[in-house]
Amino acid sequence: MVGLWIAYTFFRTGKTDEVVFSIGAGTEEIRFVKKLIEEFETKHPAIKVVLNVLPAPTDQQHHYYITTLGAKNKDIDVMRIDTIWIAEFASAGWLESLGKYIDKEDRASFIPVTEKTNVFQDNLYAIPWNANVGLLYYRKDLLEKYNMHPPNTWEELIEICTKISASESIYGYLWQGKQYEGLVCNFVEFIGSNNGGIIDDAGRIIVDAEQNKIALNLMRDLIWEYRISPQNTYSELAEESSRHLFQQGKGLFLRNWTYVWELCQKDPSMKGKVGVSQLPKFSDGKPASVYGGWHLAINAYSKKKERAWQLINFLTSYETQKELAIDLSWLPSRKALYKDPELLEKLPFLPVVESALQDVQIRPNVPYYQWISDVLQKHVNKALSNQTSSEEALSSIKAKLEGIKRDFTEN
Ligand code: GLC
């Protein structure tokens, strides 16, 4: 009904209604999103979309939303939000509940993890736009040259790196160790690959478990003991800095998200040289990719919720997600796209991702996640820079998390 009313108003007055879409992403991504917006505006001539472009790093965007939404800003209508903010923003009353906009069948067409990460207190607050999982990129050409295969275990990875990286004068393994959210993703993957975790299903904080200590020791040893990861991993390496090193031909393996695939295909010096597999595991563990991803939500203070929904509906449609997967290698969030023949050809690692998604690691889905993350970032990073032992770091994290949990659950 409201849609008809908007169309009628447009035809009667010729006036468009503005919808503000807030998004932080890389330059290439924004360029492509602008093209999608043009497609949307052609289909919906009564709506004009204004982009509010934010910096790409998740922590900086989070800061922006805390201040703007905290001040009950009405000017933003649609927001692209990280998977880890949903519970926090929803509990603060900043997100419109979306259950009434989406029908049951459409909701069920998204990957199942959506029901865990995008739901808070039984309400759906965001529609997944692009899913994300941590993957292992490798130099296929170099592994072939040395007659080696992508590693299944961390032990194998170390062995391969030790063999190849010295003779090729390149780094062995590039990953994200700087003090920011990306480090938390890597930490969750390392500990998960040794059957460890941060909080168990009963809500107990288990971060100081022995498996986690072993995993954190490995993270540190990759830098200081085996020396197959750069010395500045803990001070400099984030998604983009590690990707640049890899694309410059300076690394054998890289842990990163799916967007790196298309950038490597478009880079003449990398095309055909890169393979993708699941992340390695400890010998008794399992590969443990973390679930990342960006979702579309409506600002609870928006005055244009129905138009905002029309935009979300368009951007998360099968066709639009397919375009995004083809052009930016953004991982789709609709299940059916994982069987799309054209996509399977374009993104040969889709089956790897599909199986990683079955058992993906989720960062704690609680309103106080950001507090947890700050503690993890600080203490894990301290262990990586050798300022504390893994044991000390994990017991400090445990004590701090107990305090945070108490503060949030007792009030
Ligand atoms: C990616 C993921 C996001 C994660 C971030 C960490 O953007 O999609 O979920 O928080 O990386 O840097």
Side-chain angles (χ1 to χ4, degrees), residues 36-57:
L36 293 178
I37 298 295
E38 278 169 23
E39 284 175 30
F40 173 78
E41 289 176 340
T42 311
K43 284 193 178 146
H44 301 85
I47 307 178
K48 164 116 191 73
V49 179
V50 178
L51 279 188
N52 176 34
V53 178
L54 306 177

Side-chain angles (χ1 to χ4, degrees), residues 50-189:
V50 178
L51 279 188
N52 176 34
V53 178
L54 306 177
T58 183
D59 308 65
Q60 290 178 36
Q61 291 184 52
H62 181 257
H63 188 72
Y64 171 84
Y65 285 119
I66 293 291
T67 12
T68 43
L69 300 178
K72 300 192 171 31
N73 184 308
K74 295 185 192 63
D75 300 335
I76 298 167
D77 302 296
V78 177
M79 304 173 275
R80 180 190 190 235
I81 59 175
D82 197 336
T83 196
I84 47 180
W85 309 335
I86 297 174
E88 179 190 359
F89 290 8
S91 82
W94 298 341
L95 302 183
E96 168 82 348
S97 164
L98 300 180
K100 56 181 175 289
Y101 296 87
I102 187 167
D103 66 41
K104 229 173 145 189
E105 201 187 326
D106 197 19
R107 183 163 167 175
S109 69
F110 289 96
I111 48 175
V113 65
T114 307
E115 294 299 320
K116 290 194 192 157
T117 53
N118 295 24
V119 171
F120 177 71
Q121 293 180 345
D122 297 332
N123 282 312
L124 178 74
Y125 282 104
I127 307 294
W129 191 21
N130 71 288
N132 235 341
V133 292
L135 294 171
L136 184 73
Y137 290 85
Y138 58 88
R139 286 286 301 277
K140 207 165 63 177
D141 57 329
L142 291 179
L143 290 193
E144 276 163 13
K145 180 172 165 191
Y146 289 84
N147 206 9
M148 294 184 128
H149 300 287
N152 287 317
T153 61
W154 294 115
E155 222 177 343
E156 285 168 21
L157 176 126
I158 293 165
E159 209 180 295
I160 300 172
C161 289
T162 315
K163 183 131 187 209
I164 303 185
S165 53
S167 19
E168 296 289 332
S169 309
I170 56 174
Y171 295 119
Y173 186 39
L174 303 168
W175 47 283
Q176 295 81 45
K178 193 176 158 171
Q179 186 177 335
Y180 80 118
E181 183 58 33
L183 170 59
V184 179
C185 296
N186 282 252
F187 175 68
V188 168
E189 290 172 340

